[in-house]
Amino acid sequence: MATSGASAIRFIIRHTHVPRLIPLITSNCTCKSVAVRRKCFDFLDLLLQEWQTQTLERHTAVMVASIKKGISDADAEARVEARKAYWGLRNHFPGEADSLFNSLEPSYQKSLQSSLKSSGSVTSLPQSDRSSSSSQESLNRPLSSKWSAAPGRVPAGHKGGVSPGSYNVPVAM
């Protein structure tokens, strides 16, 4: 159930760029539930990857405050997600991200810098290259011939296979 809910929220964030979602997500970044905090920082990161800067501008202060709390969260996985969100924030608002970075304790600054090094090349890609996820790309990709010829499927344009009248099912009239 929780996985389905998280998938639905991800879908909404990707396809519905409404600024009113930001306070809903950031308000739950301080929830007592560790799982909720983790997911909220994950959603915040997704939002910062997918949305345009102009949509995010009104809620910059709220996002900065949430990310700052997340970087010092008690849960290690929530901290990882908050650090990812920080780099997304930096792509949109470098000035605010720099002031946030300078306001952090040196140990948190080091963890942010090490997360950049360990994350690989994803953060160095331009925004346009990172905005679509691989699952979204697979939804938009046409079916290849290997899938259309898979067992139990009839290749496109092929008239063979089972016809509707070949089943021996009694039909009530």
Side-chain angles (χ1 to χ4, degrees), residues 16-51:
T16 310
H17 299 191
V18 179
R20 291 189 314 183
L21 291 175
I22 297 169
L24 292 172
I25 292 168
T26 56
S27 66
N28 287 302
C29 288
T30 56
C31 181
K32 286 183 179 181
S33 170
V34 174
V36 171
R37 289 196 316 267
R38 284 181 196 162
K39 283 297 178 188
C40 284
F41 288 117
D42 181 36
F43 297 149
L44 190 58
D45 177 42
L46 178 64
L47 183 131
L48 287 163
Q49 287 179 20
E50 298 282 331
W51 291 14

PDB file of all heavy atoms in Angstrom, residues 16-51:
ATOM      1  N   THR A  16       2.301  17.081 -12.555  1.00  0.00           N
ATOM      2  CA  THR A  16       1.468  18.184 -12.085  1.00  0.00           C
ATOM      3  C   THR A  16       2.362  19.194 -11.376  1.00  0.00           C
ATOM      4  O   THR A  16       2.639  19.050 -10.203  1.00  0.00           O
ATOM      5  CB  THR A  16       0.388  17.670 -11.109  1.00  0.00           C
ATOM      6  OG1 THR A  16      -0.275  16.568 -11.694  1.00  0.00           O
ATOM      7  CG2 THR A  16      -0.617  18.752 -10.786  1.00  0.00           C
ATOM      8  N   HIS A  17       2.794  20.193 -12.071  1.00  0.00           N
ATOM      9  CA  HIS A  17       3.729  21.173 -11.521  1.00  0.00           C
ATOM     10  C   HIS A  17       2.954  22.320 -10.881  1.00  0.00           C
ATOM     11  O   HIS A  17       2.856  23.409 -11.421  1.00  0.00           O
ATOM     12  CB  HIS A  17       4.665  21.677 -12.607  1.00  0.00           C
ATOM     13  CG  HIS A  17       5.499  20.589 -13.209  1.00  0.00           C
ATOM     14  ND1 HIS A  17       6.554  20.842 -14.030  1.00  0.00           N
ATOM     15  CD2 HIS A  17       5.445  19.239 -13.091  1.00  0.00           C
ATOM     16  CE1 HIS A  17       7.111  19.712 -14.398  1.00  0.00           C
ATOM     17  NE2 HIS A  17       6.440  18.720 -13.844  1.00  0.00           N
ATOM     18  N   VAL A  18       2.427  22.052  -9.696  1.00  0.00           N
ATOM     19  CA  VAL A  18       1.622  23.018  -8.961  1.00  0.00           C
ATOM     20  C   VAL A  18       2.383  23.421  -7.701  1.00  0.00           C
ATOM     21  O   VAL A  18       2.700  22.569  -6.861  1.00  0.00           O
ATOM     22  CB  VAL A  18       0.252  22.407  -8.582  1.00  0.00           C
ATOM     23  CG1 VAL A  18      -0.579  23.385  -7.801  1.00  0.00           C
ATOM     24  CG2 VAL A  18      -0.483  21.952  -9.815  1.00  0.00           C
ATOM     25  N   PRO A  19       2.698  24.712  -7.537  1.00  0.00           N
ATOM     26  CA  PRO A  19       3.478  25.154  -6.377  1.00  0.00           C
ATOM     27  C   PRO A  19       2.840  24.828  -5.024  1.00  0.00           C
ATOM     28  O   PRO A  19       3.547  24.761  -4.019  1.00  0.00           O
ATOM     29  CB  PRO A  19       3.583  26.671  -6.570  1.00  0.00           C
ATOM     30  CG  PRO A  19       3.368  26.887  -8.021  1.00  0.00           C
ATOM     31  CD  PRO A  19       2.444  25.802  -8.477  1.00  0.00           C
ATOM     32  N   ARG A  20       1.541  24.609  -4.985  1.00  0.00           N
ATOM     33  CA  ARG A  20       0.893  24.291  -3.700  1.00  0.00           C
ATOM     34  C   ARG A  20       1.330  22.948  -3.136  1.00  0.00           C
ATOM     35  O   ARG A  20       1.118  22.664  -1.955  1.00  0.00           O
ATOM     36  CB  ARG A  20      -0.625  24.312  -3.861  1.00  0.00           C
ATOM     37  CG  ARG A  20      -1.163  25.708  -4.100  1.00  0.00           C
ATOM     38  CD  ARG A  20      -2.655  25.753  -4.052  1.00  0.00           C
ATOM     39  NE  ARG A  20      -3.267  24.677  -4.825  1.00  0.00           N
ATOM     40  CZ  ARG A  20      -4.565  24.521  -4.987  1.00  0.00           C
ATOM     41  NH1 ARG A  20      -5.395  25.358  -4.421  1.00  0.00           N
ATOM     42  NH2 ARG A  20      -5.042  23.530  -5.688  1.00  0.00           N
ATOM     43  N   LEU A  21       1.956  22.110  -3.945  1.00  0.00           N
ATOM     44  CA  LEU A  21       2.453  20.820  -3.447  1.00  0.00           C
ATOM     45  C   LEU A  21       3.692  20.982  -2.562  1.00  0.00           C
ATOM     46  O   LEU A  21       3.946  20.172  -1.683  1.00  0.00           O
ATOM     47  CB  LEU A  21       2.798  19.896  -4.613  1.00  0.00           C
ATOM     48  CG  LEU A  21       1.650  19.364  -5.445  1.00  0.00           C
ATOM     49  CD1 LEU A  21       2.181  18.567  -6.623  1.00  0.00           C
ATOM     50  CD2 LEU A  21       0.732  18.505  -4.590  1.00  0.00           C
ATOM     51  N   ILE A  22       4.455  22.041  -2.798  1.00  0.00           N
ATOM     52  CA  ILE A  22       5.725  22.225  -2.076  1.00  0.00           C
ATOM     53  C   ILE A  22       5.519  22.322  -0.570  1.00  0.00           C
ATOM     54  O   ILE A  22       6.177  21.593   0.185  1.00  0.00           O
ATOM     55  CB  ILE A  22       6.504  23.428  -2.642  1.00  0.00           C
ATOM     56  CG1 ILE A  22       6.863  23.160  -4.105  1.00  0.00           C
ATOM     57  CG2 ILE A  22       7.762  23.699  -1.822  1.00  0.00           C
ATOM     58  CD1 ILE A  22       7.407  24.357  -4.853  1.00  0.00           C
ATOM     59  N   PRO A  23       4.606  23.182  -0.064  1.00  0.00           N
ATOM     60  CA  PRO A  23       4.412  23.218   1.393  1.00  0.00           C
ATOM     61  C   PRO A  23       3.880  21.903   1.968  1.00  0.00           C
ATOM     62  O   PRO A  23       4.213  21.552   3.106  1.00  0.00           O
ATOM     63  CB  PRO A  23       3.391  24.342   1.597  1.00  0.00           C
ATOM     64  CG  PRO A  23       3.447  25.163   0.366  1.00  0.00           C
ATOM     65  CD  PRO A  23       3.856  24.245  -0.733  1.00  0.00           C
ATOM     66  N   LEU A  24       3.103  21.165   1.194  1.00  0.00           N
ATOM     67  CA  LEU A  24       2.612  19.866   1.672  1.00  0.00           C
ATOM     68  C   LEU A  24       3.764  18.896   1.882  1.00  0.00           C
ATOM     69  O   LEU A  24       3.806  18.166   2.872  1.00  0.00           O
ATOM     70  CB  LEU A  24       1.608  19.273   0.683  1.00  0.00           C
ATOM     71  CG  LEU A  24       0.288  19.997   0.540  1.00  0.00           C
ATOM     72  CD1 LEU A  24      -0.517  19.418  -0.617  1.00  0.00           C
ATOM     73  CD2 LEU A  24      -0.498  19.903   1.831  1.00  0.00           C
ATOM     74  N   ILE A  25       4.702  18.898   0.955  1.00  0.00           N
ATOM     75  CA  ILE A  25       5.843  17.989   1.061  1.00  0.00           C
ATOM     76  C   ILE A  25       6.796  18.454   2.161  1.00  0.00           C
ATOM     77  O   ILE A  25       7.213  17.658   3.007  1.00  0.00           O
ATOM     78  CB  ILE A  25       6.562  17.884  -0.296  1.00  0.00           C
ATOM     79  CG1 ILE A  25       5.641  17.170  -1.301  1.00  0.00           C
ATOM     80  CG2 ILE A  25       7.881  17.149  -0.167  1.00  0.00           C
ATOM     81  CD1 ILE A  25       6.100  17.245  -2.725  1.00  0.00           C
ATOM     82  N   THR A  26       7.128  19.740   2.164  1.00  0.00           N
ATOM     83  CA  THR A  26       8.109  20.232   3.138  1.00  0.00           C
ATOM     84  C   THR A  26       7.580  20.188   4.568  1.00  0.00           C
ATOM     85  O   THR A  26       8.363  20.007   5.499  1.00  0.00           O
ATOM     86  CB  THR A  26       8.562  21.661   2.800  1.00  0.00           C
ATOM     87  OG1 THR A  26       7.424  22.508   2.723  1.00  0.00           O
ATOM     88  CG2 THR A  26       9.328  21.699   1.490  1.00  0.00           C
ATOM     89  N   SER A  27       6.277  20.313   4.750  1.00  0.00           N
ATOM     90  CA  SER A  27       5.735  20.253   6.113  1.00  0.00           C
ATOM     91  C   SER A  27       5.885  18.866   6.719  1.00  0.00           C
ATOM     92  O   SER A  27       5.948  18.722   7.938  1.00  0.00           O
ATOM     93  CB  SER A  27       4.266  20.674   6.128  1.00  0.00           C
ATOM     94  OG  SER A  27       3.475  19.738   5.425  1.00  0.00           O
ATOM     95  N   ASN A  28       5.969  17.845   5.881  1.00  0.00           N
ATOM     96  CA  ASN A  28       6.139  16.485   6.377  1.00  0.00           C
ATOM     97  C   ASN A  28       7.602  16.073   6.501  1.00  0.00           C
ATOM     98  O   ASN A  28       7.888  14.943   6.906  1.00  0.00           O
ATOM     99  CB  ASN A  28       5.383  15.503   5.486  1.00  0.00           C
ATOM    100  CG  ASN A  28       3.898  15.600   5.705  1.00  0.00           C
ATOM    101  OD1 ASN A  28       3.414  15.421   6.816  1.00  0.00           O
ATOM    102  ND2 ASN A  28       3.161  15.928   4.655  1.00  0.00           N
ATOM    103  N   CYS A  29       8.514  16.963   6.162  1.00  0.00           N
ATOM    104  CA  CYS A  29       9.942  16.678   6.318  1.00  0.00           C
ATOM    105  C   CYS A  29      10.360  16.668   7.789  1.00  0.00           C
ATOM    106  O   CYS A  29      11.472  16.254   8.114  1.00  0.00           O
ATOM    107  CB  CYS A  29      10.783  17.692   5.541  1.00  0.00           C
ATOM    108  SG  CYS A  29      10.706  17.472   3.761  1.00  0.00           S
ATOM    109  N   THR A  30       9.483  17.125   8.678  1.00  0.00           N
ATOM    110  CA  THR A  30       9.773  17.112  10.115  1.00  0.00           C
ATOM    111  C   THR A  30       8.865  16.132  10.859  1.00  0.00           C
ATOM    112  O   THR A  30       8.765  16.192  12.079  1.00  0.00           O
ATOM    113  CB  THR A  30       9.597  18.522  10.704  1.00  0.00           C
ATOM    114  OG1 THR A  30       8.285  18.985  10.418  1.00  0.00           O
ATOM    115  CG2 THR A  30      10.626  19.482  10.127  1.00  0.00           C
ATOM    116  N   CYS A  31       8.231  15.240  10.133  1.00  0.00           N
ATOM    117  CA  CYS A  31       7.331  14.250  10.728  1.00  0.00           C
ATOM    118  C   CYS A  31       8.110  13.325  11.668  1.00  0.00           C
ATOM    119  O   CYS A  31       9.309  13.106  11.504  1.00  0.00           O
ATOM    120  CB  CYS A  31       6.691  13.440   9.596  1.00  0.00           C
ATOM    121  SG  CYS A  31       5.524  12.204  10.163  1.00  0.00           S
ATOM    122  N   LYS A  32       7.419  12.776  12.653  1.00  0.00           N
ATOM    123  CA  LYS A  32       8.067  11.850  13.588  1.00  0.00           C
ATOM    124  C   LYS A  32       8.446  10.532  12.909  1.00  0.00           C
ATOM    125  O   LYS A  32       9.397   9.886  13.307  1.00  0.00           O
ATOM    126  CB  LYS A  32       7.141  11.555  14.765  1.00  0.00           C
ATOM    127  CG  LYS A  32       7.019  12.692  15.729  1.00  0.00           C
ATOM    128  CD  LYS A  32       6.153  12.297  16.912  1.00  0.00           C
ATOM    129  CE  LYS A  32       6.036  13.432  17.909  1.00  0.00           C
ATOM    130  NZ  LYS A  32       5.216  13.038  19.065  1.00  0.00           N
ATOM    131  N   SER A  33       7.710  10.150  11.880  1.00  0.00           N
ATOM    132  CA  SER A  33       7.969   8.893  11.184  1.00  0.00           C
ATOM    133  C   SER A  33       9.201   9.022  10.289  1.00  0.00           C
ATOM    134  O   SER A  33       9.276   9.889   9.416  1.00  0.00           O
ATOM    135  CB  SER A  33       6.765   8.509  10.331  1.00  0.00           C
ATOM    136  OG  SER A  33       7.087   7.432   9.485  1.00  0.00           O
ATOM    137  N   VAL A  34      10.157   8.127  10.507  1.00  0.00           N
ATOM    138  CA  VAL A  34      11.382   8.123   9.715  1.00  0.00           C
ATOM    139  C   VAL A  34      11.068   7.868   8.248  1.00  0.00           C
ATOM    140  O   VAL A  34      11.612   8.537   7.355  1.00  0.00           O
ATOM    141  CB  VAL A  34      12.364   7.051  10.250  1.00  0.00           C
ATOM    142  CG1 VAL A  34      13.570   6.920   9.360  1.00  0.00           C
ATOM    143  CG2 VAL A  34      12.783   7.373  11.658  1.00  0.00           C
ATOM    144  N   ALA A  35      10.177   6.924   7.977  1.00  0.00           N
ATOM    145  CA  ALA A  35       9.833   6.579   6.594  1.00  0.00           C
ATOM    146  C   ALA A  35       9.208   7.767   5.861  1.00  0.00           C
ATOM    147  O   ALA A  35       9.510   8.015   4.692  1.00  0.00           O
ATOM    148  CB  ALA A  35       8.888   5.387   6.574  1.00  0.00           C
ATOM    149  N   VAL A  36       8.374   8.516   6.558  1.00  0.00           N
ATOM    150  CA  VAL A  36       7.737   9.685   5.944  1.00  0.00           C
ATOM    151  C   VAL A  36       8.789  10.749   5.639  1.00  0.00           C
ATOM    152  O   VAL A  36       8.790  11.347   4.553  1.00  0.00           O
ATOM    153  CB  VAL A  36       6.615  10.247   6.854  1.00  0.00           C
ATOM    154  CG1 VAL A  36       6.105  11.575   6.345  1.00  0.00           C
ATOM    155  CG2 VAL A  36       5.479   9.248   6.965  1.00  0.00           C
ATOM    156  N   ARG A  37       9.708  10.972   6.562  1.00  0.00           N
ATOM    157  CA  ARG A  37      10.763  11.968   6.325  1.00  0.00           C
ATOM    158  C   ARG A  37      11.619  11.584   5.127  1.00  0.00           C
ATOM    159  O   ARG A  37      11.923  12.410   4.263  1.00  0.00           O
ATOM    160  CB  ARG A  37      11.645  12.149   7.564  1.00  0.00           C
ATOM    161  CG  ARG A  37      10.961  12.866   8.702  1.00  0.00           C
ATOM    162  CD  ARG A  37      11.947  13.364   9.752  1.00  0.00           C
ATOM    163  NE  ARG A  37      12.983  12.429  10.147  1.00  0.00           N
ATOM    164  CZ  ARG A  37      12.904  11.594  11.182  1.00  0.00           C
ATOM    165  NH1 ARG A  37      11.813  11.562  11.936  1.00  0.00           N
ATOM    166  NH2 ARG A  37      13.910  10.797  11.489  1.00  0.00           N
ATOM    167  N   ARG A  38      12.002  10.312   5.062  1.00  0.00           N
ATOM    168  CA  ARG A  38      12.822   9.836   3.940  1.00  0.00           C
ATOM    169  C   ARG A  38      12.122  10.110   2.614  1.00  0.00           C
ATOM    170  O   ARG A  38      12.716  10.639   1.677  1.00  0.00           O
ATOM    171  CB  ARG A  38      13.060   8.335   4.050  1.00  0.00           C
ATOM    172  CG  ARG A  38      14.065   7.922   5.057  1.00  0.00           C
ATOM    173  CD  ARG A  38      14.206   6.416   5.047  1.00  0.00           C
ATOM    174  NE  ARG A  38      14.890   5.966   6.244  1.00  0.00           N
ATOM    175  CZ  ARG A  38      14.852   4.728   6.685  1.00  0.00           C
ATOM    176  NH1 ARG A  38      14.158   3.806   6.056  1.00  0.00           N
ATOM    177  NH2 ARG A  38      15.509   4.404   7.785  1.00  0.00           N
ATOM    178  N   LYS A  39      10.866   9.700   2.552  1.00  0.00           N
ATOM    179  CA  LYS A  39      10.105   9.871   1.304  1.00  0.00           C
ATOM    180  C   LYS A  39       9.911  11.346   0.969  1.00  0.00           C
ATOM    181  O   LYS A  39       9.967  11.722  -0.202  1.00  0.00           O
ATOM    182  CB  LYS A  39       8.754   9.162   1.384  1.00  0.00           C
ATOM    183  CG  LYS A  39       8.845   7.674   1.199  1.00  0.00           C
ATOM    184  CD  LYS A  39       9.369   7.357  -0.180  1.00  0.00           C
ATOM    185  CE  LYS A  39       9.511   5.877  -0.377  1.00  0.00           C
ATOM    186  NZ  LYS A  39      10.198   5.566  -1.631  1.00  0.00           N
ATOM    187  N   CYS A  40       9.679  12.176   1.967  1.00  0.00           N
ATOM    188  CA  CYS A  40       9.476  13.608   1.696  1.00  0.00           C
ATOM    189  C   CYS A  40      10.729  14.241   1.107  1.00  0.00           C
ATOM    190  O   CYS A  40      10.641  15.052   0.184  1.00  0.00           O
ATOM    191  CB  CYS A  40       9.028  14.333   2.954  1.00  0.00           C
ATOM    192  SG  CYS A  40       7.304  14.011   3.330  1.00  0.00           S
ATOM    193  N   PHE A  41      11.900  13.869   1.604  1.00  0.00           N
ATOM    194  CA  PHE A  41      13.132  14.396   1.019  1.00  0.00           C
ATOM    195  C   PHE A  41      13.356  13.827  -0.382  1.00  0.00           C
ATOM    196  O   PHE A  41      13.846  14.523  -1.272  1.00  0.00           O
ATOM    197  CB  PHE A  41      14.336  14.131   1.927  1.00  0.00           C
ATOM    198  CG  PHE A  41      14.333  14.979   3.161  1.00  0.00           C
ATOM    199  CD1 PHE A  41      14.234  14.413   4.415  1.00  0.00           C
ATOM    200  CD2 PHE A  41      14.402  16.363   3.070  1.00  0.00           C
ATOM    201  CE1 PHE A  41      14.216  15.199   5.556  1.00  0.00           C
ATOM    202  CE2 PHE A  41      14.387  17.162   4.199  1.00  0.00           C
ATOM    203  CZ  PHE A  41      14.290  16.578   5.447  1.00  0.00           C
ATOM    204  N   ASP A  42      12.974  12.581  -0.582  1.00  0.00           N
ATOM    205  CA  ASP A  42      13.038  11.982  -1.909  1.00  0.00           C
ATOM    206  C   ASP A  42      12.109  12.727  -2.871  1.00  0.00           C
ATOM    207  O   ASP A  42      12.490  13.054  -3.999  1.00  0.00           O
ATOM    208  CB  ASP A  42      12.656  10.500  -1.818  1.00  0.00           C
ATOM    209  CG  ASP A  42      12.713   9.794  -3.156  1.00  0.00           C
ATOM    210  OD1 ASP A  42      13.599  10.111  -3.978  1.00  0.00           O
ATOM    211  OD2 ASP A  42      11.863   8.911  -3.387  1.00  0.00           O
ATOM    212  N   PHE A  43      10.891  13.030  -2.422  1.00  0.00           N
ATOM    213  CA  PHE A  43       9.943  13.777  -3.249  1.00  0.00           C
ATOM    214  C   PHE A  43      10.447  15.192  -3.523  1.00  0.00           C
ATOM    215  O   PHE A  43      10.283  15.712  -4.632  1.00  0.00           O
ATOM    216  CB  PHE A  43       8.568  13.844  -2.584  1.00  0.00           C
ATOM    217  CG  PHE A  43       7.898  12.507  -2.407  1.00  0.00           C
ATOM    218  CD1 PHE A  43       7.040  12.289  -1.334  1.00  0.00           C
ATOM    219  CD2 PHE A  43       8.108  11.471  -3.293  1.00  0.00           C
ATOM    220  CE1 PHE A  43       6.420  11.065  -1.158  1.00  0.00           C
ATOM    221  CE2 PHE A  43       7.489  10.234  -3.130  1.00  0.00           C
ATOM    222  CZ  PHE A  43       6.644  10.036  -2.052  1.00  0.00           C
ATOM    223  N   LEU A  44      11.062  15.807  -2.530  1.00  0.00           N
ATOM    224  CA  LEU A  44      11.613  17.150  -2.701  1.00  0.00           C
ATOM    225  C   LEU A  44      12.727  17.128  -3.751  1.00  0.00           C
ATOM    226  O   LEU A  44      12.812  18.012  -4.615  1.00  0.00           O
ATOM    227  CB  LEU A  44      12.121  17.686  -1.367  1.00  0.00           C
ATOM    228  CG  LEU A  44      12.521  19.143  -1.296  1.00  0.00           C
ATOM    229  CD1 LEU A  44      11.372  20.061  -1.691  1.00  0.00           C
ATOM    230  CD2 LEU A  44      12.994  19.483   0.109  1.00  0.00           C
ATOM    231  N   ASP A  45      13.559  16.107  -3.711  1.00  0.00           N
ATOM    232  CA  ASP A  45      14.616  15.954  -4.707  1.00  0.00           C
ATOM    233  C   ASP A  45      14.008  15.778  -6.099  1.00  0.00           C
ATOM    234  O   ASP A  45      14.448  16.419  -7.060  1.00  0.00           O
ATOM    235  CB  ASP A  45      15.501  14.760  -4.344  1.00  0.00           C
ATOM    236  CG  ASP A  45      16.582  14.501  -5.372  1.00  0.00           C
ATOM    237  OD1 ASP A  45      17.194  15.474  -5.863  1.00  0.00           O
ATOM    238  OD2 ASP A  45      16.825  13.323  -5.705  1.00  0.00           O
ATOM    239  N   LEU A  46      13.004  14.934  -6.224  1.00  0.00           N
ATOM    240  CA  LEU A  46      12.338  14.714  -7.513  1.00  0.00           C
ATOM    241  C   LEU A  46      11.735  16.010  -8.039  1.00  0.00           C
ATOM    242  O   LEU A  46      11.879  16.344  -9.222  1.00  0.00           O
ATOM    243  CB  LEU A  46      11.250  13.644  -7.374  1.00  0.00           C
ATOM    244  CG  LEU A  46      10.435  13.343  -8.623  1.00  0.00           C
ATOM    245  CD1 LEU A  46      11.316  12.750  -9.718  1.00  0.00           C
ATOM    246  CD2 LEU A  46       9.302  12.394  -8.277  1.00  0.00           C
ATOM    247  N   LEU A  47      11.102  16.727  -7.177  1.00  0.00           N
ATOM    248  CA  LEU A  47      10.483  18.003  -7.528  1.00  0.00           C
ATOM    249  C   LEU A  47      11.541  18.980  -8.046  1.00  0.00           C
ATOM    250  O   LEU A  47      11.333  19.652  -9.069  1.00  0.00           O
ATOM    251  CB  LEU A  47       9.832  18.521  -6.253  1.00  0.00           C
ATOM    252  CG  LEU A  47       9.040  19.765  -6.194  1.00  0.00           C
ATOM    253  CD1 LEU A  47       7.735  19.432  -5.481  1.00  0.00           C
ATOM    254  CD2 LEU A  47       9.768  20.775  -5.377  1.00  0.00           C
ATOM    255  N   LEU A  48      12.690  19.034  -7.392  1.00  0.00           N
ATOM    256  CA  LEU A  48      13.758  19.934  -7.815  1.00  0.00           C
ATOM    257  C   LEU A  48      14.398  19.484  -9.128  1.00  0.00           C
ATOM    258  O   LEU A  48      14.952  20.299  -9.859  1.00  0.00           O
ATOM    259  CB  LEU A  48      14.819  20.056  -6.716  1.00  0.00           C
ATOM    260  CG  LEU A  48      14.371  20.881  -5.510  1.00  0.00           C
ATOM    261  CD1 LEU A  48      15.262  20.619  -4.306  1.00  0.00           C
ATOM    262  CD2 LEU A  48      14.351  22.357  -5.853  1.00  0.00           C
ATOM    263  N   GLN A  49      14.325  18.210  -9.431  1.00  0.00           N
ATOM    264  CA  GLN A  49      14.844  17.715 -10.704  1.00  0.00           C
ATOM    265  C   GLN A  49      13.876  17.974 -11.856  1.00  0.00           C
ATOM    266  O   GLN A  49      14.294  18.304 -12.954  1.00  0.00           O
ATOM    267  CB  GLN A  49      15.096  16.208 -10.634  1.00  0.00           C
ATOM    268  CG  GLN A  49      16.277  15.813  -9.819  1.00  0.00           C
ATOM    269  CD  GLN A  49      16.441  14.309  -9.776  1.00  0.00           C
ATOM    270  OE1 GLN A  49      15.915  13.590 -10.613  1.00  0.00           O
ATOM    271  NE2 GLN A  49      17.174  13.827  -8.795  1.00  0.00           N
ATOM    272  N   GLU A  50      12.597  17.827 -11.597  1.00  0.00           N
ATOM    273  CA  GLU A  50      11.606  17.836 -12.664  1.00  0.00           C
ATOM    274  C   GLU A  50      11.016  19.203 -12.982  1.00  0.00           C
ATOM    275  O   GLU A  50      10.634  19.454 -14.118  1.00  0.00           O
ATOM    276  CB  GLU A  50      10.447  16.896 -12.306  1.00  0.00           C
ATOM    277  CG  GLU A  50      10.845  15.446 -12.149  1.00  0.00           C
ATOM    278  CD  GLU A  50      11.044  14.738 -13.468  1.00  0.00           C
ATOM    279  OE1 GLU A  50      10.397  15.123 -14.464  1.00  0.00           O
ATOM    280  OE2 GLU A  50      11.857  13.806 -13.504  1.00  0.00           O
ATOM    281  N   TRP A  51      10.913  20.082 -12.003  1.00  0.00           N
ATOM    282  CA  TRP A  51      10.179  21.329 -12.186  1.00  0.00           C
ATOM    283  C   TRP A  51      11.062  22.465 -12.670  1.00  0.00           C
ATOM    284  O   TRP A  51      12.272  22.478 -12.433  1.00  0.00           O
ATOM    285  CB  TRP A  51       9.497  21.728 -10.885  1.00  0.00           C
ATOM    286  CG  TRP A  51       8.358  20.831 -10.482  1.00  0.00           C
ATOM    287  CD1 TRP A  51       8.047  19.599 -10.983  1.00  0.00           C
ATOM    288  CD2 TRP A  51       7.399  21.105  -9.479  1.00  0.00           C
ATOM    289  NE1 TRP A  51       6.948  19.098 -10.344  1.00  0.00           N
ATOM    290  CE2 TRP A  51       6.524  19.997  -9.415  1.00  0.00           C
ATOM    291  CE3 TRP A  51       7.192  22.170  -8.625  1.00  0.00           C
ATOM    292  CZ2 TRP A  51       5.454  19.941  -8.536  1.00  0.00           C
ATOM    293  CZ3 TRP A  51       6.126  22.114  -7.740  1.00  0.00           C
ATOM    294  CH2 TRP A  51       5.264  21.006  -7.706  1.00  0.00           C
TER     295      TRP A  51
END
